Each structure stands twice: as structure tokens, then as C-alpha cells.
Amino acid sequence: DETLVPLDYASKGQITDDMIFEHLVLKVPEDCQLTVLMDCCHSGTIFDLPYMVEADEQTMTSALAGNPIAMLQNPNFNLEQLMAVAKKLLEEVANNPETMRMITSGLKQFAAMKLGK
């Protein structure tokens, strides 16, 4: 796990990557795109996503020139952990059809992407 350390961490605790994934990433509707800019050290995998962008000087110079940025596979991505979080969320929202539909749709899209369909 990776964490963000907010200003009030002493009283509220740190924010884990699992919390960010559960409360932010999984809540994005299927027809929307989430763009996040992190200005902190070692934040490349804080969202527990399968891909990431390495914002080094070469990549940023290329992007400023109008070239597309390549997505890299996240070496720390763990599909089993993701599925465990998803299962927990599905169990928690079983009585909320709209939330269930959003999560199920997102998981189907993710599975299709991982399986190359």
C-alpha cells in the first residue's frame, strides 16, 4: 500500500491507495474521464491503476511538443487485490442498484481491457 499524508494526518490518519481507489476511482461514471495531477513524491501508483505515466523531462518535453504520452504498465498493479476490493464494495452496495450498476460496468470494462477484448 501507498499513502498520502494530509495536513491533518495526526488526527485523521493517512489516505491509503485503497481508500482513493474505493472513494474516487470507482465512483467515476462510465461516460466520464478522471484526470489527476499529483504534486508529491512516489505518487505514480497511488490510484492502484494498471497503467501510469512517467513524467520525466523527456516525456514532458515530448508532450509539450504535441506528441502523445505513452502509458506504462504499473509494475505494482495487483489484479487480485483489486478484485478483493471490488468484491467488498459489491457486498456493501448490494442494496443500491445505481451504485451496483456503476461498479459492475466499470469492472466489466476493466476485465475486457485486461483480457484484450
Side-chain angles (χ1 to χ4, degrees), residues 37-104:
L37 175 64
M38 304 291 290
D39 184 17
C40 52
C41 297
H42 309 292
S43 61
T45 58
I46 195 68
F47 288 94
D48 279 348
L49 299 175
Y51 299 97
M52 61 185 193
V53 172
E54 191 170 298
D56 58 18
E57 185 176 346
Q58 179 181 357
T59 301
M60 294 297 95
T61 300
S62 180
L64 288 172
N67 299 313
I69 297 176
M71 300 292 288
L72 306 171
Q73 284 194 317
N74 178 353
N76 298 314
F77 179 72
N78 183 329
L79 181 59
E80 289 179 21
Q81 181 181 11
L82 172 65
M83 297 311 286
V85 170
K87 181 181 177 188
K88 177 184 170 194
L89 289 173
L90 287 173
E91 290 168 353
E92 291 177 7
V93 299
N95 294 325
N96 186 332
E98 179 59 20
T99 302
M100 178 77 82
R101 185 197 66 74
M102 286 173 41
I103 292 173
T104 302

